[in-house]
Short mmCIF file of all heavy atoms in Angstrom, two decimals:
data_model
loop_
_atom_site.label_atom_id
_atom_site.label_comp_id
_atom_site.label_asym_id
_atom_site.label_seq_id
_atom_site.Cartn_x
_atom_site.Cartn_y
_atom_site.Cartn_z
N LYS Q 23 18.21 10.06 77.63
CA LYS Q 23 17.22 10.33 76.58
C LYS Q 23 16.64 9.01 76.06
O LYS Q 23 15.43 8.90 75.83
CB LYS Q 23 17.91 11.11 75.45
CG LYS Q 23 17.02 11.64 74.36
CD LYS Q 23 17.73 12.75 73.56
CE LYS Q 23 17.02 13.00 72.23
NZ LYS Q 23 17.55 12.18 71.11
N SER Q 24 17.49 8.02 75.90
CA SER Q 24 17.01 6.71 75.43
C SER Q 24 16.04 6.09 76.43
O SER Q 24 15.06 5.45 76.04
CB SER Q 24 18.18 5.76 75.22
OG SER Q 24 19.06 6.26 74.22
N ALA Q 25 16.31 6.28 77.72
CA ALA Q 25 15.41 5.74 78.74
C ALA Q 25 14.02 6.33 78.56
O ALA Q 25 13.00 5.63 78.64
CB ALA Q 25 15.95 6.04 80.14
N ASN Q 26 13.96 7.63 78.29
CA ASN Q 26 12.67 8.28 78.05
C ASN Q 26 12.00 7.74 76.80
O ASN Q 26 10.81 7.43 76.79
CB ASN Q 26 12.85 9.80 77.94
CG ASN Q 26 13.18 10.42 79.28
OD1 ASN Q 26 12.81 9.87 80.33
ND2 ASN Q 26 13.88 11.54 79.27
N GLU Q 27 12.79 7.63 75.72
CA GLU Q 27 12.23 7.16 74.45
C GLU Q 27 11.73 5.72 74.56
O GLU Q 27 10.78 5.32 73.89
CB GLU Q 27 13.26 7.30 73.34
CG GLU Q 27 13.57 8.76 72.99
CD GLU Q 27 14.78 8.91 72.07
OE1 GLU Q 27 15.46 7.89 71.82
OE2 GLU Q 27 15.03 10.02 71.63
N LEU Q 28 12.40 4.95 75.38
CA LEU Q 28 11.99 3.55 75.58
C LEU Q 28 10.82 3.43 76.56
O LEU Q 28 10.27 2.36 76.76
CB LEU Q 28 13.17 2.71 76.09
CG LEU Q 28 14.32 2.46 75.10
CD1 LEU Q 28 15.58 1.99 75.82
CD2 LEU Q 28 13.91 1.41 74.05
N GLY Q 29 10.50 4.54 77.20
CA GLY Q 29 9.38 4.55 78.13
C GLY Q 29 9.65 3.82 79.44
O GLY Q 29 8.73 3.32 80.08
N ILE Q 30 10.91 3.78 79.84
CA ILE Q 30 11.26 3.09 81.10
C ILE Q 30 10.97 4.02 82.27
O ILE Q 30 11.51 5.13 82.35
CB ILE Q 30 12.74 2.69 81.13
CG1 ILE Q 30 13.13 1.94 79.84
CG2 ILE Q 30 13.04 1.84 82.37
CD1 ILE Q 30 14.61 1.61 79.76
N ARG Q 31 10.07 3.59 83.17
CA ARG Q 31 9.75 4.39 84.34
C ARG Q 31 10.53 3.89 85.56
O ARG Q 31 11.21 4.64 86.23
CB ARG Q 31 8.23 4.31 84.64
CG ARG Q 31 7.35 4.96 83.60
CD ARG Q 31 7.52 6.48 83.53
NE ARG Q 31 7.27 7.11 84.83
CZ ARG Q 31 7.56 8.36 85.12
NH1 ARG Q 31 8.12 9.14 84.21
NH2 ARG Q 31 7.30 8.86 86.30
N ASP Q 32 10.39 2.61 85.84
CA ASP Q 32 11.05 2.03 87.02
C ASP Q 32 11.61 0.68 86.61
O ASP Q 32 10.85 -0.24 86.30
CB ASP Q 32 10.04 1.86 88.16
CG ASP Q 32 9.55 3.21 88.67
OD1 ASP Q 32 10.34 3.91 89.32
OD2 ASP Q 32 8.39 3.55 88.38
N GLY Q 33 12.91 0.58 86.62
CA GLY Q 33 13.54 -0.68 86.23
C GLY Q 33 15.02 -0.45 85.98
O GLY Q 33 15.65 0.38 86.66
N TRP Q 34 15.55 -1.17 85.03
CA TRP Q 34 16.97 -1.05 84.68
C TRP Q 34 17.08 -0.65 83.21
O TRP Q 34 16.27 -1.08 82.39
CB TRP Q 34 17.69 -2.38 84.86
CG TRP Q 34 17.86 -2.83 86.26
CD1 TRP Q 34 17.04 -3.65 86.96
CD2 TRP Q 34 18.95 -2.51 87.15
NE1 TRP Q 34 17.53 -3.86 88.23
CE2 TRP Q 34 18.71 -3.17 88.36
CE3 TRP Q 34 20.10 -1.73 87.03
CZ2 TRP Q 34 19.57 -3.09 89.46
CZ3 TRP Q 34 20.96 -1.64 88.12
CH2 TRP Q 34 20.69 -2.30 89.32
N ILE Q 35 18.11 0.09 82.90
CA ILE Q 35 18.48 0.33 81.51
C ILE Q 35 19.91 -0.20 81.32
O ILE Q 35 20.75 -0.06 82.21
CB ILE Q 35 18.37 1.81 81.12
CG1 ILE Q 35 18.57 1.97 79.61
CG2 ILE Q 35 19.34 2.69 81.89
CD1 ILE Q 35 18.08 3.30 79.07
N SER Q 36 20.12 -0.86 80.19
CA SER Q 36 21.43 -1.43 79.90
C SER Q 36 22.04 -0.79 78.68
O SER Q 36 21.36 -0.48 77.71
CB SER Q 36 21.32 -2.94 79.67
OG SER Q 36 21.07 -3.62 80.86
N VAL Q 37 23.35 -0.60 78.76
CA VAL Q 37 24.13 -0.06 77.65
C VAL Q 37 25.06 -1.18 77.19
O VAL Q 37 25.85 -1.70 77.98
CB VAL Q 37 24.97 1.15 78.11
CG1 VAL Q 37 25.79 1.71 76.96
CG2 VAL Q 37 24.07 2.23 78.71
N TYR Q 38 24.93 -1.55 75.91
CA TYR Q 38 25.70 -2.67 75.37
C TYR Q 38 26.53 -2.19 74.18
O TYR Q 38 26.02 -1.52 73.29
CB TYR Q 38 24.75 -3.78 74.92
CG TYR Q 38 25.47 -4.99 74.35
CD1 TYR Q 38 25.86 -6.03 75.17
CD2 TYR Q 38 25.76 -5.08 72.98
CE1 TYR Q 38 26.54 -7.13 74.65
CE2 TYR Q 38 26.43 -6.17 72.46
CZ TYR Q 38 26.81 -7.19 73.30
OH TYR Q 38 27.49 -8.28 72.78
N ILE Q 39 27.81 -2.56 74.18
CA ILE Q 39 28.73 -2.15 73.11
C ILE Q 39 28.91 -3.32 72.14
O ILE Q 39 29.47 -4.35 72.53
CB ILE Q 39 30.10 -1.76 73.69
CG1 ILE Q 39 29.95 -0.75 74.84
CG2 ILE Q 39 31.03 -1.23 72.60
CD1 ILE Q 39 29.34 0.56 74.48
N PRO Q 40 28.44 -3.19 70.89
CA PRO Q 40 28.56 -4.31 69.95
C PRO Q 40 29.90 -4.35 69.22
O PRO Q 40 29.99 -4.91 68.14
CB PRO Q 40 27.39 -4.06 68.98
CG PRO Q 40 27.26 -2.58 68.94
CD PRO Q 40 27.65 -2.08 70.32
N HIS Q 41 30.92 -3.74 69.80
CA HIS Q 41 32.26 -3.68 69.19
C HIS Q 41 33.25 -4.44 70.08
O HIS Q 41 33.00 -4.63 71.27
CB HIS Q 41 32.70 -2.23 69.04
CG HIS Q 41 31.73 -1.38 68.29
ND1 HIS Q 41 31.52 -1.50 66.94
CD2 HIS Q 41 30.87 -0.41 68.71
CE1 HIS Q 41 30.59 -0.64 66.55
NE2 HIS Q 41 30.18 0.04 67.61
N THR Q 42 34.37 -4.84 69.49
CA THR Q 42 35.36 -5.61 70.26
C THR Q 42 36.61 -4.81 70.58
O THR Q 42 37.52 -5.33 71.23
CB THR Q 42 35.75 -6.90 69.51
OG1 THR Q 42 36.26 -6.55 68.23
CG2 THR Q 42 34.54 -7.82 69.33
N THR Q 43 36.65 -3.56 70.13
CA THR Q 43 37.79 -2.71 70.47
C THR Q 43 37.32 -1.44 71.19
O THR Q 43 37.98 -0.40 71.14
CB THR Q 43 38.62 -2.32 69.21
OG1 THR Q 43 37.73 -1.73 68.24
CG2 THR Q 43 39.29 -3.55 68.61
N ALA Q 44 36.17 -1.55 71.82
CA ALA Q 44 35.64 -0.46 72.63
C ALA Q 44 34.87 -1.08 73.79
O ALA Q 44 34.39 -2.21 73.70
CB ALA Q 44 34.71 0.43 71.81
N GLY Q 45 34.78 -0.35 74.90
CA GLY Q 45 34.06 -0.85 76.07
C GLY Q 45 33.19 0.25 76.65
O GLY Q 45 32.96 1.29 76.02
N VAL Q 46 32.71 -0.02 77.86
CA VAL Q 46 31.88 0.97 78.54
C VAL Q 46 32.14 0.86 80.04
O VAL Q 46 32.37 -0.25 80.56
CB VAL Q 46 30.38 0.77 78.20
CG1 VAL Q 46 29.89 -0.59 78.62
CG2 VAL Q 46 29.51 1.88 78.78
N THR Q 47 32.17 2.00 80.72
CA THR Q 47 32.39 1.97 82.16
C THR Q 47 31.67 3.16 82.80
O THR Q 47 31.30 4.12 82.11
CB THR Q 47 33.90 2.01 82.50
OG1 THR Q 47 34.09 1.62 83.86
CG2 THR Q 47 34.49 3.41 82.30
N ILE Q 48 31.46 3.05 84.09
CA ILE Q 48 30.88 4.14 84.87
C ILE Q 48 31.97 4.69 85.77
O ILE Q 48 32.60 3.93 86.51
CB ILE Q 48 29.67 3.63 85.70
CG1 ILE Q 48 28.52 3.24 84.75
CG2 ILE Q 48 29.22 4.68 86.70
CD1 ILE Q 48 27.33 2.60 85.44
N ASN Q 49 32.22 6.00 85.69
CA ASN Q 49 33.24 6.59 86.54
C ASN Q 49 32.98 8.10 86.65
O ASN Q 49 31.91 8.56 86.23
CB ASN Q 49 34.66 6.29 86.01
CG ASN Q 49 35.65 6.09 87.15
OD1 ASN Q 49 35.91 7.02 87.91
ND2 ASN Q 49 36.18 4.89 87.29
N GLU Q 50 33.93 8.83 87.22
CA GLU Q 50 33.68 10.24 87.51
C GLU Q 50 33.56 11.10 86.25
O GLU Q 50 34.41 11.06 85.38
CB GLU Q 50 34.79 10.80 88.41
CG GLU Q 50 34.56 12.29 88.68
CD GLU Q 50 35.53 12.91 89.66
OE1 GLU Q 50 36.05 12.20 90.53
OE2 GLU Q 50 35.75 14.13 89.57
N HIS Q 51 32.51 11.92 86.22
CA HIS Q 51 32.28 12.81 85.08
C HIS Q 51 32.60 14.27 85.42
O HIS Q 51 32.59 15.13 84.54
CB HIS Q 51 30.84 12.71 84.61
CG HIS Q 51 29.84 13.22 85.61
ND1 HIS Q 51 28.82 14.07 85.28
CD2 HIS Q 51 29.74 13.00 86.95
CE1 HIS Q 51 28.12 14.33 86.39
NE2 HIS Q 51 28.65 13.70 87.39
N ALA Q 52 32.89 14.57 86.70
CA ALA Q 52 33.06 15.97 87.10
C ALA Q 52 34.40 16.52 86.63
O ALA Q 52 34.47 17.61 86.07
CB ALA Q 52 32.92 16.10 88.61
N ASP Q 53 35.47 15.78 86.87
CA ASP Q 53 36.80 16.24 86.49
C ASP Q 53 37.30 15.39 85.32
O ASP Q 53 37.58 14.20 85.48
CB ASP Q 53 37.76 16.08 87.69
CG ASP Q 53 39.17 16.52 87.33
OD1 ASP Q 53 39.41 16.95 86.17
OD2 ASP Q 53 40.06 16.42 88.21
N PRO Q 54 37.44 16.00 84.14
CA PRO Q 54 37.90 15.22 82.97
C PRO Q 54 39.29 14.63 83.14
O PRO Q 54 39.66 13.72 82.38
CB PRO Q 54 37.86 16.25 81.83
CG PRO Q 54 37.78 17.58 82.47
CD PRO Q 54 37.13 17.39 83.81
N ASP Q 55 40.06 15.10 84.13
CA ASP Q 55 41.36 14.51 84.37
C ASP Q 55 41.26 13.05 84.81
O ASP Q 55 42.21 12.28 84.63
CB ASP Q 55 42.12 15.31 85.45
CG ASP Q 55 42.70 16.61 84.91
OD1 ASP Q 55 42.75 16.78 83.67
OD2 ASP Q 55 43.11 17.46 85.72
N VAL Q 56 40.13 12.68 85.40
CA VAL Q 56 40.00 11.30 85.87
C VAL Q 56 40.07 10.32 84.70
O VAL Q 56 40.88 9.39 84.69
CB VAL Q 56 38.69 11.09 86.67
CG1 VAL Q 56 38.44 9.61 86.92
CG2 VAL Q 56 38.75 11.85 87.99
N VAL Q 57 39.24 10.52 83.68
CA VAL Q 57 39.27 9.57 82.56
C VAL Q 57 40.53 9.77 81.73
O VAL Q 57 41.01 8.83 81.08
CB VAL Q 57 37.99 9.64 81.69
CG1 VAL Q 57 36.81 9.11 82.50
CG2 VAL Q 57 37.73 11.02 81.17
N SER Q 58 41.09 10.97 81.75
CA SER Q 58 42.36 11.19 81.05
C SER Q 58 43.47 10.36 81.71
O SER Q 58 44.24 9.69 81.03
CB SER Q 58 42.69 12.68 81.06
OG SER Q 58 43.95 12.92 80.49
N ASP Q 59 43.51 10.39 83.04
CA ASP Q 59 44.46 9.55 83.76
C ASP Q 59 44.19 8.07 83.49
O ASP Q 59 45.12 7.27 83.33
CB ASP Q 59 44.35 9.80 85.28
CG ASP Q 59 45.03 11.09 85.72
OD1 ASP Q 59 45.88 11.62 84.98
OD2 ASP Q 59 44.71 11.57 86.84
N MET Q 60 42.93 7.70 83.46
CA MET Q 60 42.57 6.30 83.25
C MET Q 60 43.08 5.80 81.90
O MET Q 60 43.62 4.71 81.79
CB MET Q 60 41.05 6.11 83.36
CG MET Q 60 40.67 4.64 83.54
SD MET Q 60 38.92 4.36 83.94
CE MET Q 60 38.60 5.70 85.05
N LYS Q 61 42.93 6.63 80.86
CA LYS Q 61 43.48 6.30 79.55
C LYS Q 61 44.98 6.03 79.65
O LYS Q 61 45.49 5.05 79.08
CB LYS Q 61 43.28 7.47 78.58
CG LYS Q 61 41.89 7.65 78.06
CD LYS Q 61 41.84 8.71 76.97
CE LYS Q 61 42.39 10.05 77.47
NZ LYS Q 61 42.29 11.12 76.45
N ASP Q 62 45.69 6.92 80.36
CA ASP Q 62 47.14 6.78 80.46
C ASP Q 62 47.53 5.50 81.19
O ASP Q 62 48.46 4.80 80.79
CB ASP Q 62 47.74 7.99 81.21
CG ASP Q 62 47.64 9.28 80.40
OD1 ASP Q 62 47.30 9.20 79.21
OD2 ASP Q 62 47.92 10.34 80.97
N VAL Q 63 46.82 5.19 82.27
CA VAL Q 63 47.13 3.97 83.03
C VAL Q 63 46.91 2.74 82.16
O VAL Q 63 47.75 1.84 82.10
CB VAL Q 63 46.29 3.88 84.32
CG1 VAL Q 63 46.46 2.52 84.98
CG2 VAL Q 63 46.66 4.99 85.30
N LEU Q 64 45.78 2.70 81.46
CA LEU Q 64 45.48 1.54 80.61
C LEU Q 64 46.50 1.42 79.48
O LEU Q 64 46.92 0.31 79.13
CB LEU Q 64 44.06 1.63 80.06
CG LEU Q 64 42.95 1.46 81.11
CD1 LEU Q 64 41.58 1.74 80.50
CD2 LEU Q 64 42.96 0.05 81.73
N ASP Q 65 46.93 2.56 78.92
CA ASP Q 65 47.93 2.52 77.86
C ASP Q 65 49.29 2.04 78.37
O ASP Q 65 50.04 1.38 77.64
CB ASP Q 65 48.08 3.91 77.20
CG ASP Q 65 46.91 4.26 76.31
OD1 ASP Q 65 46.14 3.35 75.94
OD2 ASP Q 65 46.75 5.44 75.96
N ARG Q 66 49.58 2.36 79.63
CA ARG Q 66 50.83 1.87 80.22
C ARG Q 66 50.75 0.36 80.48
O ARG Q 66 51.67 -0.39 80.18
CB ARG Q 66 51.13 2.62 81.53
CG ARG Q 66 52.36 2.08 82.27
CD ARG Q 66 52.66 2.86 83.54
NE ARG Q 66 51.57 2.91 84.51
CZ ARG Q 66 51.21 1.88 85.30
NH1 ARG Q 66 51.86 0.72 85.23
NH2 ARG Q 66 50.22 2.02 86.16
N LEU Q 67 49.61 -0.10 80.98
CA LEU Q 67 49.46 -1.52 81.30
C LEU Q 67 49.42 -2.37 80.03
O LEU Q 67 49.94 -3.49 80.00
CB LEU Q 67 48.17 -1.75 82.10
CG LEU Q 67 48.16 -1.21 83.53
CD1 LEU Q 67 46.78 -1.42 84.16
CD2 LEU Q 67 49.23 -1.89 84.39
N VAL Q 68 48.77 -1.85 79.00
CA VAL Q 68 48.60 -2.61 77.75
C VAL Q 68 49.05 -1.72 76.60
O VAL Q 68 48.24 -1.10 75.91
CB VAL Q 68 47.13 -3.05 77.54
CG1 VAL Q 68 47.04 -4.07 76.42
CG2 VAL Q 68 46.53 -3.61 78.83
N PRO Q 69 50.37 -1.64 76.35
CA PRO Q 69 50.89 -0.73 75.31
C PRO Q 69 50.44 -1.15 73.91
O PRO Q 69 50.20 -2.33 73.65
CB PRO Q 69 52.40 -0.84 75.47
CG PRO Q 69 52.65 -2.09 76.23
CD PRO Q 69 51.44 -2.36 77.06
N TRP Q 70 50.34 -0.17 73.03
CA TRP Q 70 49.89 -0.43 71.66
C TRP Q 70 50.83 -1.38 70.93
O TRP Q 70 50.39 -2.27 70.22
CB TRP Q 70 49.75 0.89 70.89
CG TRP Q 70 49.03 0.71 69.59
CD1 TRP Q 70 49.58 0.61 68.35
CD2 TRP Q 70 47.61 0.56 69.43
NE1 TRP Q 70 48.59 0.41 67.42
CE2 TRP Q 70 47.37 0.39 68.05
CE3 TRP Q 70 46.51 0.57 70.31
CZ2 TRP Q 70 46.09 0.21 67.52
CZ3 TRP Q 70 45.25 0.39 69.79
CH2 TRP Q 70 45.05 0.21 68.41
N GLU Q 71 52.14 -1.16 71.12
CA GLU Q 71 53.13 -2.05 70.54
C GLU Q 71 53.53 -3.08 71.58
O GLU Q 71 54.02 -2.71 72.63
CB GLU Q 71 54.39 -1.26 70.13
CG GLU Q 71 54.13 -0.08 69.21
CD GLU Q 71 53.88 -0.52 67.77
OE1 GLU Q 71 54.09 -1.72 67.47
OE2 GLU Q 71 53.44 0.33 66.96
N GLY Q 72 53.31 -4.36 71.28
CA GLY Q 72 53.62 -5.34 72.31
C GLY Q 72 54.03 -6.68 71.74
O GLY Q 72 53.96 -7.70 72.44
N GLY Q 73 54.48 -6.72 70.49
CA GLY Q 73 54.88 -7.99 69.90
C GLY Q 73 53.72 -8.96 69.81
O GLY Q 73 53.88 -10.17 69.99
N TYR Q 74 52.54 -8.44 69.55
CA TYR Q 74 51.33 -9.28 69.52
C TYR Q 74 51.24 -10.08 68.22
O TYR Q 74 51.80 -9.71 67.19
CB TYR Q 74 50.09 -8.39 69.67
CG TYR Q 74 50.12 -7.48 70.87
CD1 TYR Q 74 50.14 -6.10 70.73
CD2 TYR Q 74 50.15 -8.00 72.16
CE1 TYR Q 74 50.16 -5.25 71.82
CE2 TYR Q 74 50.18 -7.16 73.27
CZ TYR Q 74 50.18 -5.78 73.09
OH TYR Q 74 50.21 -4.95 74.18
N ARG Q 75 50.44 -11.15 68.28
CA ARG Q 75 50.24 -12.00 67.10
C ARG Q 75 49.17 -11.44 66.15
O ARG Q 75 49.30 -11.54 64.94
CB ARG Q 75 49.78 -13.40 67.55
CG ARG Q 75 50.93 -14.36 67.83
CD ARG Q 75 50.39 -15.68 68.34
NE ARG Q 75 49.91 -15.54 69.70
CZ ARG Q 75 50.52 -16.03 70.78
NH1 ARG Q 75 51.62 -16.73 70.64
NH2 ARG Q 75 50.05 -15.84 71.97
N HIS Q 76 48.09 -10.90 66.72
CA HIS Q 76 46.93 -10.46 65.93
C HIS Q 76 47.38 -9.49 64.82
O HIS Q 76 47.88 -8.39 65.09
CB HIS Q 76 45.91 -9.79 66.85
CG HIS Q 76 44.68 -9.30 66.19
ND1 HIS Q 76 43.97 -10.03 65.26
CD2 HIS Q 76 44.00 -8.12 66.32
CE1 HIS Q 76 42.91 -9.33 64.85
NE2 HIS Q 76 42.91 -8.17 65.49
N ALA Q 77 47.19 -9.90 63.57
CA ALA Q 77 47.79 -9.19 62.44
C ALA Q 77 47.22 -7.80 62.24
O ALA Q 77 47.88 -6.93 61.64
CB ALA Q 77 47.61 -10.02 61.16
N GLU Q 78 46.02 -7.55 62.74
CA GLU Q 78 45.41 -6.24 62.52
C GLU Q 78 46.11 -5.15 63.35
O GLU Q 78 45.92 -3.96 63.08
CB GLU Q 78 43.92 -6.30 62.88
CG GLU Q 78 43.04 -5.39 62.05
CD GLU Q 78 41.62 -5.38 62.57
OE1 GLU Q 78 41.15 -6.40 63.12
OE2 GLU Q 78 40.96 -4.34 62.44
N GLY Q 79 46.88 -5.59 64.35
CA GLY Q 79 47.70 -4.63 65.09
C GLY Q 79 47.02 -3.91 66.23
O GLY Q 79 47.63 -3.05 66.86
N ASN Q 80 45.75 -4.26 66.50
CA ASN Q 80 45.02 -3.54 67.55
C ASN Q 80 44.69 -4.42 68.76
O ASN Q 80 43.67 -4.22 69.42
CB ASN Q 80 43.75 -2.92 66.97
CG ASN Q 80 42.83 -3.97 66.35
OD1 ASN Q 80 43.20 -5.15 66.32
ND2 ASN Q 80 41.67 -3.56 65.87
N THR Q 81 45.60 -5.35 69.06
CA THR Q 81 45.39 -6.23 70.22
C THR Q 81 45.15 -5.43 71.49
O THR Q 81 44.27 -5.78 72.30
CB THR Q 81 46.61 -7.15 70.41
OG1 THR Q 81 46.54 -8.21 69.45
CG2 THR Q 81 46.65 -7.75 71.81
#
Side-chain angles (χ1 to χ4, degrees):
Chain Q
K23 188 162 164 269
S24 298
N26 288 334
E27 292 169 353
L28 290 163
I30 310 175
R31 293 293 304 168
D32 294 288
W34 290 94
I35 188 163
S36 287
V37 180
Y38 180 89
I39 309 298
H41 306 289
T42 57
T43 54
V46 61
T47 196
I48 292 174
N49 215 296
E50 178 174 333
H51 66 133
D53 179 1
D55 283 346
V56 169
V57 292
S58 175
D59 283 342
M60 196 171 320
K61 285 188 303 183
D62 291 350
V63 171
L64 291 173
D65 286 344
R66 175 178 57 75
L67 291 175
V68 192
W70 192 259
E71 306 283 350
Y74 307 116
R75 272 177 287 253
H76 181 45
E78 212 187 330
N80 58 357
T81 283

